[in-house]
Amino acid sequence: MIRVMLVEDHPVFADGLVALFRDLPEVEVVGVAGSGEVALDLIERHTPDVVLMDLHLPGISGVEATSRIKARHPGVAVLALTMLSDDDTILAAIRAGARGYLLKEAPPAEIIRSLQAVAAGQVVFGSSAGSRVLAALATETVRPHPLPELTDREREVLDLVAAGLTNHAIAQRLFLSEKTIRNHVSNIFAKLGVSDRSAAVVRARDAGLGI
């Protein structure tokens, strides 16, 4: 039995998915959420095997919700199902931990096959999104990291600093202690040769972060 949660803010589409899975004896829909916040609450109570995640949601985005789900429940597979098809969205979903990506235009049989595949531990991308995923990943592999002197975590922290978040807010976002964030910020200042937050933000913006 595959326990599935749907995260979709369009009731008609959500109802269509529920009806699609109702005819499958091996699939049980354990919850339907209309926002990322509700999904994070429901997942604590229902522990699904797979979450079908719309990436364009009110409140926190589907990408952010995916990231939080994977941080708290790494064993839960997330299958992104969305109208959005740009390269940045695809890469954001992958970075956040999505195990699959399908466009909503995918036929029902493809949605079912993909659900079964990610539940079995596979990584899948629908036919209509697959070429975009490969192209986006190929582009990313040759694109140098901004501010290469920083670690991936330090770049992530600096991106949030440049976006205007406080250390406390960054700690909550990344599920780290505020002390750890302060240490990262100090290391960033030292590596960039700056003495305050404003100067770090200028360097970050010049590198394309926090925008």
Side-chain angles (χ1 to χ4, degrees):
M1 180 66 70
I2 303 172
R3 295 168 55 81
V4 178
M5 177 181 293
L6 308 178
V7 187
E8 168 61 56
D9 66 325
H10 291 92
V12 173
F13 192 80
D15 290 345
L17 289 175
V18 171
L20 174 65
F21 297 141
R22 187 181 296 127
D23 294 331
L24 303 176
E26 74 276 20
V27 176
E28 177 187 7
V29 177
V30 297
V32 179
S35 70
E37 290 88 348
V38 173
L40 293 171
D41 178 58
L42 289 180
I43 199 171
E44 299 292 339
R45 290 185 274 156
H46 298 297
T47 318
D49 301 305
V50 179
V51 174
L52 261 68
M53 177 71 71
D54 184 2
L55 299 183
H56 188 64
L57 295 168
I60 66 171
S61 71
V63 171
E64 177 65 20
T66 296
S67 179
R68 295 189 190 186
I69 288 170
K70 296 301 293 183
R72 300 178 189 179
H73 306 277
V76 174
V78 177
L79 176 62
L81 188 63
T82 179
M83 293 295 293
L84 301 175
S85 58
D86 61 282
D87 291 355
D88 288 342
T89 301
I90 293 173
L91 284 173
I94 296 171
R95 292 192 197 104
R99 195 176 289 172
Y101 186 104
L102 287 175
L103 300 184
K104 287 184 177 179
E105 65 193 28
E110 185 175 349
I111 294 174
I112 293 170
R113 285 196 303 271
S114 297
L115 172 68
Q116 294 168 333
V118 297
Q122 301 176 35
V123 176
V124 297
F125 297 98
S127 56
S128 57
S131 60
R132 297 187 183 95
V133 170
L134 293 175
L137 289 175
T139 300
E140 186 173 74
T141 58
V142 299
R143 184 184 302 158
H145 282 302
L147 302 175
E149 63 268 45
L150 303 182
T151 66
D152 288 342
R153 176 64 85 184
E154 287 166 351
R155 271 190 296 273
E156 187 176 20
V157 170
L158 180 59
D159 184 53
L160 296 174
V161 168
L165 275 68
T166 64
N167 286 353
H168 179 71
I170 295 171
Q172 290 187 317
R173 177 77 64 89
L174 300 182
F175 302 101
L176 297 172
S177 71
E178 195 166 345
K179 180 180 178 182
T180 297
I181 298 302
R182 286 197 301 269
N183 290 338
H184 281 311
V185 171
S186 295
N187 291 336
I188 290 167
F189 286 4
K191 289 182 179 181
L192 296 184
V194 299
S195 59
D196 58 38
R197 213 174 182 90
S198 297
V201 168
V202 171
R203 291 289 306 276
R205 295 289 177 84
D206 288 343
L209 300 178
I211 300 174

